[in-house]
Amino acid sequence: MDLSLKPEHKAFADEVRAFARENLSPATREKTFSGKHYDRDDHMVWQKALGKKGWLAYTWPKKYGGPGWDVTQRFLFENVLAEEGAPRILPFGPKMVGPVIYTFGTEAQKERFLPGIRSSEVSWCQGYSEPGAGSDLANLRTRAVREGDHYIVNGQKTWTSFAHWGDWIFCLVRTNMDAKPQEGISFLLIDMKTPGVTVRPIIMTDGAHHVNDVFLDNVKVPVENLIGKENEGWTCAKFLLANERLGIAEVPSSKRGVSVLRKIARIEPQDGGTLADDPAFTAQIADIDLQVQALEMSELRVLSTMAQGGAPGPEVSTLKVRGSEIQQRIAELTMEAVGEYAQPYQPGMLFHDTNETPIGPDHAPPAAPRYFNMRKTSIYGGSTEIQKNIVSKMVLGL
Amino acid sequence: MDLSLKPEHKAFADEVRAFARENLSPATREKTFSGKHYDRDDHMVWQKALGKKGWLAYTWPKKYGGPGWDVTQRFLFENVLAEEGAPRILPFGPKMVGPVIYTFGTEAQKERFLPGIRSSEVSWCQGYSEPGAGSDLANLRTRAVREGDHYIVNGQKTWTSFAHWGDWIFCLVRTNMDAKPQEGISFLLIDMKTPGVTVRPIIMTDGAHHVNDVFLDNVKVPVENLIGKENEGWTCAKFLLANERLGIAEVPSSKRGVSVLRKIARIEPQDGGTLADDPAFTAQIADIDLQVQALEMSELRVLSTMAQGGAPGPEVSTLKVRGSEIQQRIAELTMEAVGEYAQPYQPGMLFHDTNETPIGPDHAPPAAPRYFNMRKTSIYGGSTEIQKNIVSKMVLGL
Amino acid sequence: MDLSLSDEQKQLQEAAERFVRDKYAFDARRKIAATERGWLPENWAQFAELGWLGMAFSEEDGGYGGGPIETMIVMEQFGKGLVLEPFLPTVVLGGGMIARAGSAAQKEALLAPMIEGKKQFAFAWLERQSRYNLADVSLKATKEGTGWSLSGHKGVVYNAASADEIIVLARTGGSAREPKGLTLFVVDAKAKGLSRRDYPTQDALRASELTFDKVSVGADAVLGKVDEAFPVVEEAVDRAIVALCAEATGCMDAINAGTLEYIKTRKQFGVPIGKFQVLQHRMVDCFTNAQEARSMTLMASLKIDDKDPTVRAKAASGAKVQIGKSGKFCGQSAVQMHGGMGVTDEMAVSHYFKRLTMIDLMFGNQQHHLTRYSNLAMAA
Amino acid sequence: MDLSLSDEQKQLQEAAERFVRDKYAFDARRKIAATERGWLPENWAQFAELGWLGMAFSEEDGGYGGGPIETMIVMEQFGKGLVLEPFLPTVVLGGGMIARAGSAAQKEALLAPMIEGKKQFAFAWLERQSRYNLADVSLKATKEGTGWSLSGHKGVVYNAASADEIIVLARTGGSAREPKGLTLFVVDAKAKGLSRRDYPTQDALRASELTFDKVSVGADAVLGKVDEAFPVVEEAVDRAIVALCAEATGCMDAINAGTLEYIKTRKQFGVPIGKFQVLQHRMVDCFTNAQEARSMTLMASLKIDDKDPTVRAKAASGAKVQIGKSGKFCGQSAVQMHGGMGVTDEMAVSHYFKRLTMIDLMFGNQQHHLTRYSNLAMAA
């Protein structure tokens, strides 16, 4: 057993760092460290640079155009990028639909879709959730009826992140109304420009627009956009969810969050000194710092098992649960560090470039909105309650 | 609205205090403040003194020989006695079976049993729980079969506190095997000296003997010992449980616990000063102190509603839940205050009068055992889980 | 001991309930929040008419002789409706300090019109470096002839844009963070040299940053005694804290009721999600938390008039700790049980959550007041 | 990065598992605890034979060249069985300090026989006033000819009754609580002037209060340098903490497995109580807690050899915080889910709970180590 890095891994980390410093815009980095919202360009410019370098689809095997990295390289890549203030890679293409396509798709589908995902030329979004279904994913009502060489799709998807930026959406649709909930589902790729696709924003509690309702009204989808077999889409769905759950713990960004929090504590004034002098507050930072370390080490243990050929089991659900609690707690402590100056609502500072000076310190405007917004982490991707149900059943046999 | 006391209530409190100072033995008081176990005499001498004064059955109406106090008097009585270090009144006679007898019993039964309860000449214990039944009280298997003017009782009761001191036991027994679980149950009084009654100690994790198994093997019980009607004992059982739940929050003794904890913090050395200089520790005391205050005020609000003719509803379950958590937390903090010196196990200091000096400070020997032992408070009298089920169903309608 | 409401108090409660029901439905509130002022003059006029602006003041001060219980009753209902009218800065803080420290002339000139609904106040105490330390004040007031000249900055001043007068805490002596040497001034909101930057807060209230550039005031602008304002401010803030606690209990009642309703109707896996034991127990914990918040608020309301400032401070801090804890628990739980809907702007739940969160940050959060309480309790 | 066990380590793990399975069934342990010594010499001999007493020492010190990972592997299994043999005081603490600070002669005289199972140690550092401050030592050692005279008191000295030598931390200079001025002495357990009061601990181990009344030792009794013992002690205690953490993870595994089994079989309301969602989720939380404890223990075991004492100290304190928290959660939850049975002496669960509780109190509880970690992390 050994936590230290071999020289070639150190060199790799240096290469990643140099790349990030060269390709990340200062404005994007600043948004990361202050917790402000990115705009579309922040993501796209960065993702295209990664794509050009061949690093966007960094979890993919070489066979499909990925770099074929080992566990340590992935770990370093994710951590260095987080430290450097890179926005997270939007997972819908490279982490979600991409692996589904190269695992379940035909050769023609691989050739058609994978290059655009790797380069970030084509943006994807996810059509899983439906109104009223929530974490009960299999309870879906969007229908696809075969007519000749097309499906006619009708229904509504919701909570669709970045649908307003998306070129394509991957959808779970019901192709057999008579089957049991998890049967009769198919996995379909839909071009967002197809007539009948409408996107309506959902405004979050902090005023942000990330997620959307997507209405599908007699949308005509060619049969060749079906991934896997008709009525067997649940297999793709489960495969995708297991992949999603692993990275969703967001350890690298939480590590950055703790270090930003310590920085803020050293700036925030209190009783003539700073908040960093207050042991009651610094103990809370220490506590969340240690929680992040425990989560990281747990994740490494899972990855180490996987590297030896094991598959990620349902126990990764607990990583997702703890990861979301930790992100929420960091956001909460950051808001508390700001204190009374977390009260002004400053959408100008949150969403746009503006020449106004912020009210309070630079780190104040996103503090409360981020706390509100982070409550979603224990809801999306399978709520905490659902994850615990899964572990209870699949791991503990209860 | 007013929290202040009228002069007559102040005089009453003084009277109670004077009585306690006169009648509580110093040895008993010392056990209370240090958290050591009482022996039988500690309870009995004190309860008989209260009985003689007419204060043992202090919740009873005048009609049945109680003092007929108002809510404020009861509140003062309980608080003053706790402050003075009195052991809690064992509830089985005066708080449990007594009210059942005067509510559901015949005149003959009242005449026969109430005086001995009021005076503490007769000790009672409770035959509710059975092995394997736990919080699922109605699932009982002890059987009473009518034979002439007697019942023949067979079965086993468990978790019976102080059965080894008890003269009588009140039991729930099944008198109709064919009825639904909550029907076919009867409420029976059994003389512990009857042949076939055997008591076996259960030793707790700290080595203490408080609770017992009680075996009933062809025990012959006269029919006149049945309270209420045959097969309608569940009514008595529920009445008794509702009464039990109210006082079980143990606020007065928790108030004393907080003040003892502050005293210990002022004694326990740390870094050349005392633990009282450590804000991380005193903040934890403050937190539990405030929890006690919230619980007390919640209890007063319930009592105030009752004084205006309302009945205690199922929401008192939440008082029981919080009361047990608070007792556990006080015990935990007390142990943590003692630190490394909580490790020696000193049964001599816990159970007996001994001339040995304790290892560590005087307050050390009971610290850890009490912490272990207090875990029971969220289990007995209906576990926390059961109480929350009750509130969820009866109060929230879920 | 008596914990029952008088008949008058019950009537007050019903009237406040009625106001919220009639005027503060969710969509109506959204419209009020979107107005330039952020609150409705017609509502304020109704408060005056109903006597709410004067209820907590003595009859000799022109009020109706009520006290903290009356304030509690109204604030609780305001919490249920997330009422936006500036009752706290104007009546509880401004009115409270004038009643406590004001001269007869000041009461005449300020309190009487306030009770009639004709004057509003704002209280400017916070500065960038203050955090929760009420004595960490550096805005300077220097003698200028018979009057004073004020220079410096104040932040997050609620209701400054609507206020007729700003009550300003300034340093007239003493060193940094010394409680001694602070003085309160009543400053005309339109005074020369006073500039404002207005903004909404997270919870749709209105506040401002204020800059004082040699703002001149007369000697009669001093509220109370020069250099001796600290005890007045500390008491006023303790009273404001207790009022905020009452508002928070109302928020919790509303958010709990809404969540209970939601989990009874929202179905997943074929049953209402309220059938899942984990949500049932969490809902029970929410109600328990709200009960405890109500208990501590009631206790604080009953003790806030105590002559002993330590009793008062402990009661206020104790209640603030509880509502911080309970508010967070109820708010976070409600969002979680609402699922995705809980984090959208569309549902009332997120607005209650925001208000509960902001209440915790006002005048010292849970941690701050736990420390304050702890120090007072250990000193005893 | 590589987190997999070597083949030798896997064999060690299996051997330790086998020992616990064969020798530490619940009733067998009860009998061992009831012996006068409180542990079995035959088990100790088996440890020697299996090489466990020397595995973590370098080959030049007569050991087998393993390290903290080997200690972790064995301690974890000891935790599963609540093993009573004095491995921690003798091997981890005593052996560890001798290996780090001892002269060649001391290693020869002490470490070699210890590895053979022929010598046991106890480490006497705590005094009544020390709490968790390792430098709060007032037992005095004064020069006496070429040797030293020791007078004072030591408390809660584990294994003192069985130890051949007591390693005593004494003050030879400096003022109260000064890290400088502390010296370690190796004292014959039967030395004149050394008296003992023995007792069991809450978790069935054995400890003693020791009184030193002018106990004379030679110059060769000094372990390491005079006045410079503190870094040696701090490192040894950090290593002991990590070993304790490993033991605690074993306890948690055992208590969680027992509880899971219990809730699968115990019926209430006609179904196994493990069918109730609230218990299911609590059980999941128990497993998550144990996972986190294991992760932090592993990380600390991998970092405890770091040259930088800050890295070492942070790793040890961080792990101790986690096992304090996780141990409490798992222990309290297990008792609760066992219902009444959980608080009796009859069930294994209460014994694991007691051990987990005592581990938290040893060498600094959760709060103490959170503060230590926090100070180190903010200083960075």
Side-chain angles (χ1 to χ4, degrees), chain D residues 8-23 46-47 50 52 73-74 77-78:
Chain D
E8 292 76 17
Q9 288 168 338
K10 281 182 194 156
Q11 284 161 18
L12 176 63
Q13 192 175 44
E14 281 159 24
E17 261 176 354
R18 202 176 316 121
F19 168 78
V20 166
R21 197 167 50 238
D22 293 349
K23 302 293 180 64
Q46 195 181 344
F47 291 0
L50 288 164
W52 296 352
I73 289 169
V74 169
Q77 298 305 321
F78 284 178

Side-chain angles (χ1 to χ4, degrees), chain A residues 11 28 51 90 108 119 122 146 196 202 245 260 294 327 336 351 354 362-363 368 394:
Chain A
T28 302
L90 296 180
S119 67
V122 179
R146 178 84 179 253
I202 299 174
R245 225 164 266 145
V260 169
Q327 293 174 73
E336 290 190 0
F351 300 116
T354 163
D362 284 350
H363 53 254
M394 310 293 281

Side-chain angles (χ1 to χ4, degrees), chain C residues 91-379:
Chain C
V91 181
V92 181
L93 282 163
M97 288 188 289
I98 295 162
R100 157 85 194 263
S103 64
Q106 285 168 327
K107 288 182 185 177
E108 177 79 29
L110 300 167
L111 202 54
M114 183 211 81
I115 290 172
E116 290 168 40
K118 291 180 184 149
K119 256 192 196 301
Q120 290 203 348
F121 307 124
F123 176 40
W125 70 274
L126 184 84
E127 300 176 10
R128 173 64 193 106
Q129 81 292 346
S130 310
R131 189 164 294 266
Y132 303 130
N133 183 344
L134 294 173
D136 196 343
V137 166
S138 62
L139 181 142
K140 229 172 179 159
T142 40
K143 270 276 185 196
E144 190 189 52
T146 59
W148 300 79
S149 169
L150 278 61
S151 284
H153 175 260
K154 290 286 173 184
V156 200
V157 183
Y158 279 87
N159 202 39
S162 293
D164 301 285
E165 315 279 344
I166 316 277
I167 301 177
V168 182
L169 184 62
R171 185 156 293 285
T172 41
S175 54
R177 294 178 300 285
E178 200 181 329
K180 182 95 180 166
L182 296 175
T183 305
L184 285 167
F185 294 90
V186 181
V187 180
D188 186 328
K190 297 187 189 63
K192 207 182 139 219
L194 169 52
S195 56
R196 267 188 1 243
R197 182 173 170 193
D198 302 333
Y199 49 82
T201 56
Q202 305 291 344
D203 45 359
L205 294 171
R206 302 302 163 91
S208 309
E209 301 297 290
L210 301 184
T211 305
F212 292 76
D213 182 15
K214 296 182 194 141
V215 174
S216 296
V217 295
D220 60 350
V222 172
L223 187 64
K225 291 186 192 146
V226 171
D227 286 348
E228 302 290 346
F230 188 73
V232 176
V233 170
E234 203 179 29
E235 182 186 329
V237 168
D238 277 341
R239 289 175 181 275
I241 284 171
V242 177
L244 272 174
C245 289
E247 184 185 346
T249 63
C251 289
M252 283 181 236
D253 280 354
I255 203 170
N256 284 346
T259 306
L260 180 60
E261 180 60 27
Y262 186 80
I263 68 172
K264 279 181 180 175
T265 47
R266 166 91 166 112
K267 283 189 181 180
Q268 220 163 57
F269 304 104
V271 293
I273 59 175
K275 287 291 168 202
F276 293 108
Q277 197 191 23
V278 162
L279 296 201
Q280 291 177 343
H281 283 204
R282 191 150 189 191
M283 199 74 241
V284 170
D285 293 340
C286 287
F287 275 84
T288 305
N289 264 282
Q291 285 298 323
E292 292 177 319
R294 167 157 291 113
S295 291
M296 290 301 276
T297 301
L298 174 58
M299 189 169 76
S301 300
L302 288 165
K303 287 186 171 178
I304 198 73
D305 274 340
D306 201 286
K307 297 275 177 300
D308 180 349
T310 304
V311 170
R312 187 199 75 213
K314 280 170 73 178
S317 283
K320 192 71 166 47
V321 169
Q322 180 71 56
I323 66 118
K325 193 194 300 184
S326 292
K328 189 173 281 185
F329 187 85
C330 293
Q332 294 182 350
S333 298
V335 170
Q336 183 71 21
M337 289 193 268
H338 274 81
M341 297 307 296
V343 284
T344 67
D345 189 58
E346 291 168 36
M347 296 283 284
V349 56
S350 71
H351 298 266
Y352 286 107
F353 177 47
K354 288 198 270 192
R355 179 67 188 141
L356 284 168
T357 304
M358 291 302 113
I359 286 176
D360 182 46
L361 294 181
M362 288 183 80
F363 298 119
N365 66 356
Q366 185 183 338
Q367 180 63 56
H368 171 84
H369 283 286
L370 185 64
T371 304
R372 184 179 184 231
Y373 178 87
S374 182
N375 291 339
L376 292 167
M378 286 308 290

Side-chain angles (χ1 to χ4, degrees), chain B residues 180-335:
Chain B
K180 286 182 199 161
Q182 300 192 357
E183 295 164 18
I185 290 174
S186 297
F187 193 100
L188 215 54
L189 312 182
I190 304 179
D191 187 332
M192 295 288 281
K193 290 180 293 297
T194 321
V197 179
T198 324
V199 173
R200 191 183 66 183
I202 298 174
I203 303 304
M204 302 300 276
T205 181
D206 64 348
H209 171 207
H210 294 140
V211 295
N212 304 273
D213 287 315
V214 176
F215 299 90
L216 303 162
D217 181 20
N218 283 316
V219 178
K220 218 174 146 183
V221 181
V223 168
E224 64 256 33
N225 291 4
L226 174 75
I227 303 290
K229 293 196 187 139
E230 195 177 272
N231 296 332
E232 294 182 9
W234 191 246
T235 314
C236 303
K238 277 193 304 183
F239 172 84
L240 185 151
L241 287 177
N243 280 329
E244 181 190 10
R245 226 164 265 146
L246 193 58
I248 214 172
E250 297 282 358
V251 175
S253 89
S254 287
K255 284 161 76 176
R256 184 181 61 218
V258 170
S259 98
V260 169
L261 175 55
R262 282 216 170 84
K263 228 172 264 171
I264 290 175
R266 290 197 176 95
I267 294 169
E268 277 293 333
Q270 177 169 291
D271 294 333
T274 73
L275 195 53
D277 308 325
D278 179 348
F281 194 77
T282 55
Q284 294 179 75
I285 305 180
D287 185 60
I288 194 67
D289 174 354
L290 290 169
Q291 290 185 44
V292 174
Q293 292 182 37
L295 182 64
E296 178 173 47
M297 198 67 192
S298 294
E299 198 173 83
L300 282 173
R301 286 170 51 220
V302 170
L303 291 173
S304 155
T305 312
M306 283 169 65
Q308 288 163 59
E315 68 275 13
V316 298
S317 284
T318 65
L319 303 180
K320 195 268 175 182
V321 169
R322 296 290 294 123
S324 61
E325 288 167 352
I326 286 167
Q327 292 175 72
Q328 292 173 337
R329 181 69 180 144
I330 293 170
E332 187 172 338
L333 284 174
T334 306
M335 176 182 71

Side-chain angles (χ1 to χ4, degrees), chain B residues 364-385:
Chain B
R370 193 171 165 82
Y371 167 68
F372 301 139
N373 197 27
M374 281 295 109
R375 302 314 305 173
K376 73 186 177 192
T377 60
S378 55
I379 296 167
Y380 66 33
S383 69
T384 290
E385 291 79 10

